[in-house]
Amino acid sequence: MPVVSKPTRLVQYPAPRVAKVRVSTLLHSLQVSGYVIDGKVRLTRSARDWTPARYRRSSFHCCVAPTMPTVALTEKVIRKRVGLKHEVLEDVKSLSLPGSRHEKIGTLQRSLRCFTRLKHLDLSRNEISCLEGLSSLKQLQTLNLYYNNVPDLKEVFRLRHNKQLEDIDLRLNPVSGAHPHYRHFVIHMLPKLRKLDERSVRDEERKNALRHFATDQAIGFATTNNEGTLPP
């Protein structure tokens, strides 16, 4: 009988410009796991070989990765993934947990509830479909959910509690291409948002969002376009 290989998907990692890269974006630029405390970057042991100099020499890194089973994110998983030994989780300001060829996050649960002062969170290239568990991050400014499985506006509506969000990336999620008013909806929901899906929020877009949605209309829009009631 012919051998049938497991389903695969193409994962591409564009080489970033790493010269003078900001601490808050370094971990995401290198596509590795790690965390930031007091402006100092800590990388996991497996990631230390991927120094900026080495990554810069690679103009394009491309691999075919088999579809891997997902894991539920817990505090224990976070500590193991990034090598975090610091006891006070409130001190962590930036956390990078991108998916890899070997492991992808499926659910967040309550794993981030103690990271109350977190400002930058990278969850790109995972299999996350439910955004429950982010509402406790009141100081969160940057959220990277690139290449996940966020399905609809009902899930995006959970982010309304993260009032300090300035930059969100939801590219390559089903929701970003499924709703014609998706961009206006997110801009209206988060008044401090400056960048959405790697595009700056223009003043004209913000005015259009305000014209298009009143608060009650936004809630109704999310409910109308998705079955069931809105999440808390």
Side-chain angles (χ1 to χ4, degrees), residues 129 131 149-160 170 173-189 196-197 212-213 217-232:
S129 58
L131 300 183
N149 286 323
V150 180
D152 50 43
L153 294 177
K154 183 171 67 175
E155 285 304 319
V156 175
F157 195 63
R158 293 182 187 273
L159 299 178
R160 71 191 185 280
L170 283 163
N173 281 267
V175 65
S176 63
H179 304 283
H181 300 294
Y182 147 79
R183 189 170 174 87
H184 284 154
F185 179 85
V186 179
I187 292 172
H188 177 273
M189 182 179 68
L196 175 59
D197 297 343
H212 195 88
F213 295 112
Q217 289 175 327
I219 296 174
F221 182 78
T223 307
T224 302
N225 285 270
N226 304 282
E227 295 182 1
T229 58
L230 286 173

Side-chain angles (χ1 to χ4, degrees):
M1 296 180 65
V3 178
V4 179
S5 60
K6 293 183 178 180
T8 60
R9 65 178 180 179
L10 186 65
V11 182
Q12 298 179 341
Y13 302 89
R17 296 177 179 177
V18 295
K20 298 182 180 179
V21 76
R22 292 188 309 171
V23 168
S24 61
T25 59
L26 175 61
L27 300 177
H28 171 59
S29 297
L30 298 181
Q31 296 299 329
V32 295
S33 298
Y35 62 97
V36 174
I37 294 179
D38 297 330
K40 297 180 180 179
V41 180
R42 275 82 166 181
L43 301 179
T44 57
R45 180 173 299 177
S46 61
R48 290 171 188 164
D49 290 337
W50 279 100
T51 60
R54 177 179 294 186
Y55 200 89
R56 185 166 56 247
R57 289 197 294 268
S58 174
S59 61
F60 194 81
H61 175 65
C62 179
C63 61
V64 177
T67 302
M68 294 293 177
T70 60
V71 298
L73 192 64
T74 63
E75 183 180 315
K76 183 178 179 180
V77 170
I78 294 173
R79 287 186 176 275
K80 181 179 178 181
R81 174 82 77 88
V82 303
L84 179 60
K85 296 181 180 180
H86 193 75
E87 291 297 329
V88 184
L89 297 181
E90 291 182 353
D91 291 341
V92 179
K93 300 296 182 63
S94 183
L95 193 60
S96 185
L97 298 165
S100 68
R101 289 176 290 170
H102 310 291
E103 186 178 76
K104 293 187 180 296
I105 299 167
T107 57
L108 300 175
Q109 303 183 95
R110 300 183 63 194
S111 57
L112 298 166
R113 67 186 184 280
C114 294
F115 294 84
T116 54
R117 296 169 63 189
L118 195 68
K119 292 186 176 181
H120 308 282
L121 178 60
D122 182 0
L123 294 169
S124 60
R125 294 181 170 88
N126 283 294
E127 298 290 342
I128 298 168
S129 58
C130 178
L131 300 183
E132 184 177 5
L134 295 176
S135 59
S136 61
L137 307 179
K138 302 299 183 183
Q139 297 187 31
L140 192 65
Q141 297 176 358
T142 303
L143 176 60
N144 189 347
L145 287 165
Y146 172 80
Y147 205 174
N148 275 273
N149 286 323
V150 180
D152 50 43
L153 294 177
K154 183 171 67 175
E155 285 304 319
V156 175
F157 195 63
R158 293 182 187 273
L159 299 178
R160 71 191 185 280
H161 301 296
N162 306 100
K163 298 296 185 181
Q164 302 303 315
L165 272 173
E166 298 178 357
D167 187 347
I168 305 176
D169 193 344
L170 283 163
R171 291 175 299 159
L172 294 185
N173 281 267
V175 65
S176 63
H179 304 283
H181 300 294
Y182 147 79
R183 189 170 174 87
H184 284 154
F185 179 85
V186 179
I187 292 172
H188 177 273
M189 182 179 68
L190 298 168
K192 290 191 175 182
L193 197 65
R194 296 181 179 179
K195 184 182 289 187
L196 175 59
D197 297 343
E198 289 298 308
R199 288 171 50 198
S200 297
V201 176
R202 297 172 297 157
D203 291 339
E204 183 180 353
E205 285 184 304
R206 196 171 299 282
K207 291 177 181 177
N208 288 337
L210 289 173
R211 282 198 295 265
H212 195 88
F213 295 112
T215 301
D216 293 340
Q217 289 175 327
I219 296 174
F221 182 78
T223 307
T224 302
N225 285 270
N226 304 282
E227 295 182 1
T229 58
L230 286 173

